[in-house]
Amino acid sequence: MGDADAKKRRAALAALQLAAHDAVIGVGTGSTVNLFIEALAANPGRVRTAVSSSEASSARLRAAGIAIADLNELDGLDLYIDGADEATAARHLVKGGGGALTREKIVAAAARRFLCIVDDTKLVATLGRFPLPVEVIPMARALVVRQLRARGGDPVWREGFVTDNGNHILDVHGLTITDPVALERELNQITGVVTVGLFAARPADVLLIGTAQGVEQR
Ligand code: 5RP
Protein backbone atom coordinates (compact mmCIF):
# COMPACT_ATOMS: atom_id res chain seq x y z
CA MET A 1 0.00 0.00 0.00
CA GLY A 2 1.34 3.47 -0.89
CA ASP A 3 1.77 6.22 1.69
CA ALA A 4 -1.19 8.19 0.32
CA ASP A 5 -3.46 5.14 0.47
CA ALA A 6 -2.39 4.41 4.05
CA LYS A 7 -3.26 7.97 5.08
CA LYS A 8 -6.61 7.82 3.30
CA ARG A 9 -7.40 4.49 4.95
CA ARG A 10 -6.64 5.95 8.42
CA ALA A 11 -9.09 8.80 7.78
CA ALA A 12 -11.71 6.37 6.43
CA LEU A 13 -11.45 4.10 9.48
CA ALA A 14 -11.70 7.10 11.83
CA ALA A 15 -14.93 8.12 10.06
CA LEU A 16 -16.40 4.67 10.60
CA GLN A 17 -15.68 4.96 14.31
CA LEU A 18 -17.64 8.23 14.45
CA ALA A 19 -20.71 6.74 12.74
CA ALA A 20 -23.40 5.71 15.22
CA HIS A 21 -24.43 2.07 15.09
CA ASP A 22 -27.46 1.58 12.86
CA ALA A 23 -27.10 5.08 11.39
CA VAL A 24 -28.50 6.18 8.06
CA ILE A 25 -25.48 7.64 6.29
CA GLY A 26 -24.66 9.46 3.09
CA VAL A 27 -21.69 8.12 1.17
CA GLY A 28 -19.58 10.22 -1.17
CA THR A 29 -17.39 9.27 -4.10
CA GLY A 30 -13.70 8.72 -4.78
CA SER A 31 -10.71 6.65 -3.73
CA THR A 32 -10.87 7.70 -0.05
CA VAL A 33 -14.57 6.87 0.14
CA ASN A 34 -13.87 3.53 -1.55
CA LEU A 35 -11.68 2.68 1.44
CA PHE A 36 -14.55 3.69 3.73
CA ILE A 37 -16.88 1.36 1.80
CA GLU A 38 -14.29 -1.41 2.20
CA ALA A 39 -14.40 -0.80 5.95
CA LEU A 40 -18.20 -1.00 5.89
CA ALA A 41 -17.97 -4.30 4.03
CA ALA A 42 -15.70 -5.64 6.76
CA ASN A 43 -18.23 -4.62 9.44
CA PRO A 44 -21.59 -6.09 8.34
CA GLY A 45 -24.63 -4.48 9.96
CA ARG A 46 -22.59 -1.48 11.16
CA VAL A 47 -24.88 1.02 9.40
CA ARG A 48 -28.54 0.57 8.55
CA THR A 49 -28.62 1.98 5.06
CA ALA A 50 -26.83 4.48 2.81
CA VAL A 51 -27.71 7.25 0.39
CA SER A 52 -25.13 7.28 -2.37
CA SER A 53 -23.70 10.28 -4.23
CA SER A 54 -22.88 8.44 -7.47
CA GLU A 55 -23.57 5.38 -9.57
CA ALA A 56 -19.98 4.28 -8.92
CA SER A 57 -20.40 4.36 -5.13
CA SER A 58 -23.84 2.71 -5.38
CA ALA A 59 -22.28 -0.24 -7.21
CA ARG A 60 -19.58 -0.58 -4.56
CA LEU A 61 -22.09 -0.27 -1.70
CA ARG A 62 -24.33 -2.95 -3.20
CA ALA A 63 -21.31 -5.23 -3.67
CA ALA A 64 -20.53 -4.66 0.02
CA GLY A 65 -24.06 -5.72 0.98
CA ILE A 66 -25.21 -2.23 2.02
CA ALA A 67 -28.82 -1.32 1.16
CA ILE A 68 -29.17 1.90 -0.86
CA ALA A 69 -31.88 4.32 0.25
CA ASP A 70 -33.71 6.96 -1.79
CA LEU A 71 -33.07 10.40 -0.28
CA ASN A 72 -36.68 11.36 -1.06
CA GLU A 73 -37.93 8.67 1.30
CA LEU A 74 -35.92 9.99 4.25
CA ASP A 75 -36.25 12.87 6.65
CA GLY A 76 -32.62 13.90 6.15
CA LEU A 77 -29.50 11.98 7.11
CA ASP A 78 -27.57 11.52 10.33
CA LEU A 79 -24.17 11.72 8.72
CA TYR A 80 -22.43 12.28 5.37
CA ILE A 81 -18.95 10.93 4.73
CA ASP A 82 -17.00 12.13 1.70
CA GLY A 83 -13.54 13.07 0.50
CA ALA A 84 -12.29 16.29 -1.07
CA ASP A 85 -9.71 17.52 -3.55
CA GLU A 86 -8.70 20.46 -1.34
CA ALA A 87 -9.60 21.54 2.19
CA THR A 88 -8.80 24.59 4.32
CA ALA A 89 -8.62 24.99 8.08
CA ALA A 90 -12.08 26.59 7.87
CA ARG A 91 -13.29 23.26 6.39
CA HIS A 92 -14.13 24.89 3.06
CA LEU A 93 -13.64 22.37 0.27
CA VAL A 94 -13.06 21.95 -3.43
CA LYS A 95 -14.75 18.77 -4.62
CA GLY A 96 -15.72 17.17 -7.92
CA GLY A 97 -12.44 15.67 -9.10
CA GLY A 98 -14.48 12.50 -9.66
CA GLY A 99 -17.30 14.47 -11.27
CA ALA A 100 -19.93 13.62 -8.64
CA LEU A 101 -20.18 17.15 -7.20
CA THR A 102 -23.90 17.76 -7.76
CA ARG A 103 -25.15 14.67 -5.96
CA GLU A 104 -22.44 15.16 -3.34
CA LYS A 105 -23.72 18.66 -2.65
CA ILE A 106 -27.29 17.40 -2.39
CA VAL A 107 -26.38 14.68 0.09
CA ALA A 108 -24.22 17.11 2.09
CA ALA A 109 -27.13 19.56 2.26
CA ALA A 110 -29.42 16.82 3.61
CA ALA A 111 -26.97 15.70 6.29
CA ARG A 112 -26.99 16.91 9.87
CA ARG A 113 -23.22 16.25 10.07
CA PHE A 114 -20.63 16.15 7.26
CA LEU A 115 -17.37 14.34 7.95
CA CYS A 116 -14.74 15.00 5.30
CA ILE A 117 -12.00 12.38 5.01
CA VAL A 118 -8.72 13.48 3.42
CA ASP A 119 -5.03 12.77 3.54
CA ASP A 120 -2.77 15.61 4.62
CA THR A 121 -1.71 16.46 1.03
CA LYS A 122 -5.22 17.90 0.48
CA LEU A 123 -4.78 20.68 3.05
CA VAL A 124 -4.21 24.15 1.56
CA ALA A 125 -4.08 27.70 2.92
CA THR A 126 -6.10 29.03 -0.05
CA LEU A 127 -8.36 27.01 -2.36
CA GLY A 128 -7.71 27.06 -6.11
CA ARG A 129 -4.52 25.09 -6.75
CA PHE A 130 -6.75 22.15 -7.73
CA PRO A 131 -8.81 23.22 -10.79
CA LEU A 132 -12.35 24.02 -9.63
CA PRO A 133 -14.89 21.59 -11.17
CA VAL A 134 -18.13 23.17 -12.43
CA GLU A 135 -20.98 20.99 -13.73
CA VAL A 136 -22.81 22.60 -16.66
CA ILE A 137 -25.80 21.85 -18.85
CA PRO A 138 -24.18 20.67 -22.14
CA MET A 139 -25.82 23.29 -24.40
CA ALA A 140 -24.57 26.08 -22.11
CA ARG A 141 -20.94 24.95 -22.03
CA ALA A 142 -19.48 27.71 -24.26
CA LEU A 143 -21.66 30.35 -22.62
CA VAL A 144 -20.38 29.35 -19.18
CA VAL A 145 -16.77 29.22 -20.46
CA ARG A 146 -17.05 32.88 -21.51
CA GLN A 147 -18.52 33.86 -18.14
CA LEU A 148 -15.77 32.06 -16.23
CA ARG A 149 -13.05 33.64 -18.39
CA ALA A 150 -14.55 37.07 -17.68
CA ARG A 151 -13.99 36.30 -13.98
CA GLY A 152 -10.31 35.49 -14.51
CA GLY A 153 -10.58 31.69 -14.67
CA ASP A 154 -9.23 29.37 -17.34
CA PRO A 155 -11.94 26.72 -17.81
CA VAL A 156 -10.99 23.43 -19.49
CA TRP A 157 -13.73 21.09 -20.73
CA ARG A 158 -13.33 17.58 -19.25
CA GLU A 159 -13.91 16.17 -22.72
CA GLY A 160 -15.46 12.71 -22.99
CA PHE A 161 -16.75 12.79 -19.40
CA VAL A 162 -20.51 12.83 -18.76
CA THR A 163 -21.82 13.13 -15.20
CA ASP A 164 -24.41 10.78 -13.69
CA ASN A 165 -26.86 13.61 -14.42
CA GLY A 166 -26.00 13.73 -18.15
CA ASN A 167 -24.03 16.98 -17.89
CA HIS A 168 -20.51 18.23 -18.67
CA ILE A 169 -17.69 19.36 -16.38
CA LEU A 170 -15.47 22.42 -16.78
CA ASP A 171 -12.29 22.37 -14.67
CA VAL A 172 -11.41 25.98 -13.90
CA HIS A 173 -7.68 26.65 -13.57
CA GLY A 174 -5.97 29.79 -12.35
CA LEU A 175 -8.32 30.82 -9.53
CA THR A 176 -7.10 32.04 -6.16
CA ILE A 177 -10.17 31.61 -4.02
CA THR A 178 -9.85 34.05 -1.14
CA ASP A 179 -13.61 34.23 -0.42
CA PRO A 180 -15.04 30.77 -1.15
CA VAL A 181 -18.54 31.56 0.15
CA ALA A 182 -18.87 34.61 -2.14
CA LEU A 183 -17.40 32.82 -5.18
CA GLU A 184 -19.70 29.83 -4.70
CA ARG A 185 -22.69 32.15 -4.56
CA GLU A 186 -21.54 34.13 -7.62
CA LEU A 187 -20.73 31.15 -9.84
CA ASN A 188 -24.00 29.45 -8.90
CA GLN A 189 -25.79 32.42 -10.49
CA ILE A 190 -24.31 31.85 -13.97
CA THR A 191 -27.03 30.57 -16.27
CA GLY A 192 -26.23 27.01 -17.33
CA VAL A 193 -24.22 26.17 -14.21
CA VAL A 194 -25.69 23.21 -12.34
CA THR A 195 -23.22 23.04 -9.47
CA VAL A 196 -19.93 24.61 -8.46
CA GLY A 197 -17.46 22.30 -6.72
CA LEU A 198 -16.97 24.76 -3.87
CA PHE A 199 -18.38 23.45 -0.60
CA ALA A 200 -18.21 26.63 1.48
CA ALA A 201 -21.78 27.80 2.16
CA ARG A 202 -22.22 24.31 3.62
CA PRO A 203 -18.69 23.37 4.68
CA ALA A 204 -17.66 20.12 6.30
CA ASP A 205 -18.42 19.95 10.02
CA VAL A 206 -15.35 17.85 10.76
CA LEU A 207 -12.15 17.21 8.81
CA LEU A 208 -10.51 13.86 9.48
CA ILE A 209 -6.98 14.18 8.15
CA GLY A 210 -4.95 11.03 7.62
CA THR A 211 -1.24 11.61 8.25
CA ALA A 212 1.83 9.38 8.40
CA GLN A 213 1.40 9.24 12.19
CA GLY A 214 -2.36 8.89 12.61
CA VAL A 215 -5.48 11.00 12.19
CA GLU A 216 -5.94 14.67 13.03
CA GLN A 217 -9.41 16.05 13.63
CA ARG A 218 -10.29 19.70 12.89
C1 5RP B 1 -15.59 13.24 -6.28
C2 5RP B 1 -14.99 14.02 -5.18
C3 5RP B 1 -13.96 13.35 -4.32
O1 5RP B 1 -14.32 13.46 -3.00
C4 5RP B 1 -12.64 14.02 -4.54
O2 5RP B 1 -12.33 14.01 -5.93
C5 5RP B 1 -11.52 13.31 -3.77
O3 5RP B 1 -11.27 12.06 -4.32
P1 5RP B 1 -10.18 11.08 -3.73
O4 5RP B 1 -10.71 10.55 -2.45
O5 5RP B 1 -10.08 10.00 -4.81
O6 5RP B 1 -8.89 11.82 -3.59
O7 5RP B 1 -15.30 15.16 -4.93
O8 5RP B 1 -16.46 14.03 -7.04
Side-chain angles (χ1 to χ4, degrees):
M1 196 197 312
D3 282 357
D5 275 359
K7 292 176 182 179
K8 288 177 180 186
R9 192 181 296 278
R10 283 188 194 108
L13 292 175
L16 186 60
Q17 281 173 7
L18 291 179
H21 282 263
D22 209 31
V24 178
I25 62 167
V27 175
T29 300
S31 58
T32 316
V33 165
N34 291 345
L35 296 169
F36 175 75
I37 296 173
E38 269 184 29
L40 282 180
N43 289 271
R46 181 68 174 71
V47 298
R48 195 185 330 159
T49 183
V51 171
S52 171
S53 67
S54 64
E55 300 300 332
S57 287
S58 295
R60 283 176 183 268
L61 285 162
R62 283 194 200 96
I66 313 288
I68 308 285
D70 178 347
L71 186 59
N72 289 306
E73 305 296 325
L74 300 172
D75 179 22
L77 290 168
D78 300 325
L79 191 65
Y80 179 46
I81 292 157
D82 197 359
D85 300 299
E86 283 188 340
T88 67
R91 298 185 297 278
H92 295 146
L93 312 172
V94 165
K95 291 184 45 54
L101 60 162
T102 296
R103 295 188 188 189
E104 290 173 343
K105 205 172 264 199
I106 292 167
V107 183
R112 286 176 273 283
R113 201 152 176 250
F114 175 6
L115 300 186
C116 183
I117 49 177
V118 291
D119 65 83
D120 55 7
T121 64
K122 305 284 184 68
L123 287 179
V124 295
T126 308
L127 299 172
R129 186 182 62 195
F130 189 93
L132 176 65
V134 178
E135 181 165 350
V136 298
I137 299 289
M139 74 169 287
R141 197 182 63 243
L143 171 70
V144 176
V145 162
R146 289 194 292 276
Q147 295 285 329
L148 291 168
R149 284 193 184 135
R151 287 163 173 82
D154 176 17
V156 175
W157 177 23
R158 203 182 292 180
E159 228 171 321
F161 183 86
V162 177
T163 71
D164 286 348
N165 314 305
N167 296 318
H168 290 174
I169 298 281
L170 298 171
D171 292 305
V172 189
H173 297 248
L175 296 173
T176 302
I177 305 172
T178 50
D179 189 344
V181 175
L183 189 67
E184 180 179 4
R185 192 185 307 123
E186 181 181 345
L187 298 186
N188 271 331
Q189 295 304 316
I190 299 174
T191 301
V193 166
V194 178
T195 307
V196 179
L198 274 171
F199 285 56
R202 197 284 180 247
D205 297 304
V206 177
L207 278 183
L208 292 170
I209 306 158
T211 71
Q213 289 76 36
V215 178
E216 277 176 35
Q217 187 169 326
R218 287 197 195 159

